[in-house]
Amino acid sequence: MITNDWLGPLSAEFKKPYYRELYYRIKDEYTHHLVFPNAADLYRAFELTPLSEVRVVILGQDPYHGDGQAHGLCFSVTPGVEIPPSLRNIYQELHNDLGYSIPDNGCLVPWAKQGVLLLNTVLTVRAHQAFSHRGIGWEQFTDAAIRAVNEVDRPVVFMLWGRPAQEKARMLDNPRHLILTAPHPSPLSASRGFFGCRHFSRCNRFLEEHGEQPIDWQIPDINTKRE
C-alpha cells in the first residue's frame, strides 16, 4: 500500500464508495484471472516518486498486458523484456532531441527516482486484454493524484501524450506548471507529431529556468558490453 507522502492527499479516496467497489473488484480479478502488474507493484509509481519529489508527470493509459512486461510504471518494462514499440519511439525522440543513446532495456526506474511520475490512468489490466479494467474506478483514483500534483507550489512539467492523457489538461490550472501535449508515441500516431515534439529538451529548459535540476533522461544499459 501507499506509505509515503502520497497518503495524505489520497487517503480520502480510500474511504469513498467507488474505491471500496474497486478494491473488491480488483481483489476478485487477481484471485480468478492473471492480472498485471503483480499486486506488489500496483502503487509502484507512487512509491518510487514521492509527491514531494515530483518534477515531471508522464501519463500513460493502462499497463502493458503481455506476460512479464508491466511493473507499475507507465511505458516501462521489467529488465530483460523486449522494448515495446511505443517506448522505442520515445527513445528515438529522445535521441533526436538530446542526442542520447538508445539503451538496451526498457526499465524507466532511473527516471522515476529523479522525480518523473510515470503514472497510468488505469493501474491494472487483465492479461492479454487491453483496457479490460478501464471504467471500473481507477480513473477517479488517478485523477485525485493528478489534482494533488497540480496543487503543489513548485514548477512541474506535465507531458500529455495522446488524447486520453490530454483530456487531463482540464484539471491543470496551476500557472506555475508547464503542460506539453503531443500525439501518443505508438507506431500508429508517433509520426503525426510525437516525433519532433522535443518535449525532453523543453522540459529540462523549463526546469533550469525555474532553478530546478534537469532530468538526466539517459537510461543506462544493463549489458555494459555492447557491440
Side-chain angles (χ1 to χ4, degrees):
M1 296 298 294
I2 297 173
T3 58
N4 59 16
D5 61 359
W6 279 106
L7 189 58
L10 295 181
S11 59
E13 301 303 307
F14 299 135
K15 302 172 185 177
K16 294 180 179 179
Y18 88 87
Y19 189 88
R20 179 180 177 86
E21 294 178 9
L22 172 64
Y23 173 83
Y24 286 110
R25 170 71 179 271
I26 294 302
K27 184 178 180 180
D28 183 75
E29 285 285 305
Y30 273 109
T31 300
H32 296 100
H33 303 279
L34 182 58
V35 173
F36 300 129
N38 292 330
D41 290 330
L42 188 58
Y43 294 120
R44 198 172 190 211
F46 301 110
E47 294 167 3
L48 290 177
T49 313
L51 178 58
S52 61
E53 299 177 11
V54 174
R55 296 190 290 145
V56 181
V57 177
I58 297 178
L59 290 178
Q61 297 179 33
D62 66 340
Y64 294 122
H65 56 83
D67 296 336
Q69 292 181 306
H71 65 136
L73 306 176
C74 74
F75 294 109
S76 182
V77 292
T78 52
V81 173
E82 183 178 359
I83 301 172
S86 291
L87 183 53
R88 287 194 176 277
N89 287 340
I90 292 171
Y91 284 164
Q92 186 62 54
E93 173 59 21
L94 181 56
H95 172 73
N96 295 342
D97 187 7
L98 290 171
Y100 287 175
S101 62
I102 296 177
D104 64 1
N105 69 95
C107 181
L108 304 182
V109 168
W111 291 0
K113 290 183 175 180
Q114 293 181 75
V116 181
L117 180 65
L118 297 167
L119 183 65
N120 280 310
T121 57
V122 175
L123 299 187
T124 56
V125 67
R126 192 181 294 185
H128 316 301
Q129 298 183 39
F131 306 121
S132 50
H133 288 172
R134 182 170 52 184
I136 64 172
W138 279 129
E139 294 91 343
Q140 188 170 341
F141 182 78
T142 54
D143 278 359
I146 295 168
R147 286 194 296 269
V149 179
N150 178 63
E151 293 172 3
V152 301
D153 189 29
R154 64 178 184 278
V156 175
V157 180
F158 289 82
M159 296 184 181
L160 308 181
W161 300 335
R163 183 170 298 176
Q166 290 172 19
E167 289 176 351
K168 304 301 182 181
R170 58 181 170 77
M171 304 169 55
L172 307 175
D173 57 4
N174 188 330
R176 300 204 65 181
H177 303 330
L178 175 65
I179 302 172
L180 301 174
T181 62
H184 195 274
S186 76
L188 295 175
S189 56
S191 61
R192 300 174 187 168
F194 178 78
F195 290 137
C197 70
R198 303 185 68 84
H199 279 188
F200 301 102
S201 61
R202 292 169 65 186
C203 169
N204 279 357
R205 187 180 311 115
F206 176 83
L207 292 175
E208 290 180 303
E209 288 173 350
H210 289 81
E212 300 286 337
Q213 287 293 318
I215 304 296
D216 180 2
W217 295 106
Q218 181 66 67
I219 296 295
D221 287 335
I222 291 177
N223 301 312
T224 56
K225 294 183 179 179
R226 296 179 65 187
E227 296 296 333

